[in-house]
Amino acid sequence: MTAEASVLSDLERRTAWFIKLRWLAASTVIGAAALAAGLGLSVPAGYILAVGAGLLVYNTLLWLVARLLSVRPVEQDWASVNSFARLIVPRTFVGLGGEAGVARAALFAFVQITVDFVFLAVLIHYCGGIESPFCVFFVFHVVISSILLSRRATYVQTTVGFLLLAFVVFGEYFGFLKHYPPDAFAVPGAYRNLGIVTARLAVLGATLFLASLLCSTIAVDLRERVRSNVSLLRQLEGAYEKLRESERTKSQYMRKVAHELRGPLGTIETALKVLLQGLGGALTDRSRELIARAERRAGELAAVTQDLLLLARAREAGLDKEEAPVALDPLLAEVIEDFRERAERKGVALKAGDRAGGVVLGDAIALRQLAANLIENGIRYTEPGGSVTLHLSSQGERLALEVEDTGIGIAAEDLPRVFSEFYRAANAREYAAEGTGLGLTIVKAIAERHGGTVVVESNLGRGTRFTVTLPGVHDRPVGAPE
Amino acid sequence: MSTVSGRAKILIVDDDRDLVAALRVAVESAGYDVVSAYDLPSGLEVAGAERPDCIVLDVMMPHATEGFHFVWRLRQQGEPYFRNVPILVMSAIHQKTDLRFYPDSADGTYQAGEFLPVQDFLDKPVDPALLLERIDRTLRLKAGA
């Protein structure tokens, strides 16, 4: 069952339970009136019977409406639900989906409770007003309202109930409502009168039993919910563990395959190079061309294999690996130096921009790989005369590494996919034949394994900026004890 | 130790026989004699018997980092030859560890206590032209020492 269906069915189930309770209440009122009449108590039994009968009719109508609502799906969406209905839906349910259905069910419950208050006020009026032992029955509705509706709606209904009670009490006090004295409950020596004792005991008993019914029903429901949550949590934990295990297996498999491929591929590359460099004897032009093609393809395959190994490593790091403090600024300076010659060869300016000190907890080799992949990417897709700039800045508790180039850029439709495995944008493939399509996947995997994120912004033809944010370790120099 | 004909002798130690075959073609084409071995024990045996002028060594052999142990055991042998014979290490291992085993100096010597007492280091996959250049340089440094 979906979360929204669960919330809605929960509310409908409680409303149905509420209607069942009302059958009991109506029967009790009728029974009590008949009993009072039978015992000869001086109560307006006719009126009370009428209240009970009215309650029966009203509850029959509610039962029919509830049945009708249960088969009519809500077509409205939350945005078109009116502001009053929005106020009575418990906030906890908003955001789970299906709020319009929940709002309709909540509105139905709100109407019921309000009308119940009217019935109860009338009943109290005929049973002695402020002297009536039924006054405490308002509590039950307040409890029900607090279960079904928002806190604000409960306060509104409590106020309505209180005002109705006040209307009856002051109506009788000022005389514009007739007072029906509960003589039965006020006779001196009433404890010796079987009728009075029985009636009072019946009211108290009904109060106690109704209270225990309400509370135990809620408690059982809550316990069931806790039980189902615990069971759900266990299932989730199991599923998460399986997912981690499957991720680990996949990664280990990928690493094993890549590792097994790398050795033979290296041998093929070296053997082809021996031939290509003429070390095995003179070659015809056609042979040389074919061997050059084979050597190039072997090189491409070796690059993919190498990147698959790096990706497996990036994904496995953090699963089992111990973390150590890594100072980013010197690490980036080293990576920039590693790429300086390549950038100069292409005529691309490799610059260190803003530099902030900062330490992250992690795997230094992986973080170096992350920076290297971004810089390599920048140099590869930037025309001679352009630039690749690195900025390292502090953003509160996090460190941000920006690698900005003035290269060919990435089309808006390609941006969401640049971190996918083996994906290369069309203009990237056109501009540079080499490239495995795994470099940015590795960057993302490394960033995520370090609790970080990577985002990309780009203007086609004008340049691209990758921003990696990583959680920083503050006030603790590298190597200092924790 | 040069052979009778005066050509330098190179020992290639690698468990990948195909790679050894390819490197043999390259190294022989440059006028060196080549001897080979495919694991640690036979590598030590051939080194002892043939006394090559230079050893080209793979790090990762069937029993993990057998190449490291080859170097350590070779260097531990008493004769000065074993302490001084130049070793060129081929490996891709530096890509997955931050162990530093590059020699501290570029003059064909190594320092006492260095993690891996070897003269030079080559990335795998090996570029044959680069390998020949390094062998040549190593032998020149050795001759000048």
Side-chain angles (χ1 to χ4, degrees), chain A residues 267 269-270 277 279 306 313 365, chain B residues 16 29 98 125-127 129:
Chain A
T267 301
E269 266 191 285
T270 300
Q277 290 167 5
L279 303 176
Q306 178 61 23
R313 181 194 158 89
I365 296 177
Chain B
D16 184 337
S29 78
D98 46 6
V126 175
D127 181 336

Side-chain angles (χ1 to χ4, degrees), chain A residues 441-462:
Chain A
T441 316
I442 293 169
V443 167
K444 187 165 185 275
I446 294 172
E448 286 176 353
R449 279 283 166 234
H450 285 81
T453 57
V454 54
V455 291
V456 55
E457 301 153 87
S458 188
N459 278 325
L460 196 57
R462 296 178 63 183

Side-chain angles (χ1 to χ4, degrees), chain A residues 259 262-267 269-271 273-275 277-281 302 306 310 313 364-365 368-369, chain B residues 16 18-19 22-23 25-27 29-30 60 92-99 125-130 132:
Chain A
H259 189 74
R262 192 171 61 163
L265 270 173
T267 301
E269 266 191 285
T270 300
K273 277 194 169 104
V274 168
L275 294 177
Q277 290 167 5
L279 303 176
Q306 178 61 23
L310 289 172
R313 181 194 158 89
I365 296 177
R368 192 174 289 138
Q369 187 69 50
Chain B
D16 184 337
D18 296 323
L19 183 64
L23 294 180
V25 170
V27 175
S29 78
M60 301 300 284
I93 197 171
H94 68 291
Q95 290 163 348
K96 52 181 182 177
T97 171
D98 46 6
L99 278 179
V126 175
D127 181 336
L130 189 64
L132 293 179

Side-chain angles (χ1 to χ4, degrees), chain A residues 408-421:
Chain A
I408 60 170
I410 303 166
E413 63 268 26
D414 289 322
L415 279 177
R417 298 180 63 193
V418 291
F419 296 108
S420 306
E421 288 170 32

Side-chain angles (χ1 to χ4, degrees), chain A residues 282-294:
Chain A
L283 292 174
T284 63
D285 287 347
R286 294 181 73 181
S287 303
R288 181 181 299 281
E289 191 208 324
L290 278 180
I291 293 170
R293 282 173 185 268

Side-chain angles (χ1 to χ4, degrees), chain B residues 12-54:
Chain B
I12 303 174
V13 189
D14 196 317
D15 64 317
D16 184 337
R17 289 169 188 259
D18 296 323
L19 183 64
V20 172
L23 294 180
R24 176 186 285 276
V25 170
V27 175
E28 283 179 350
S29 78
Y32 301 112
D33 282 335
V34 173
V35 285
S36 54
Y38 306 111
D39 56 23
L40 184 151
S42 66
L44 288 173
E45 195 184 315
V46 174
E50 297 282 342
R51 304 290 171 115
D53 298 282
C54 176

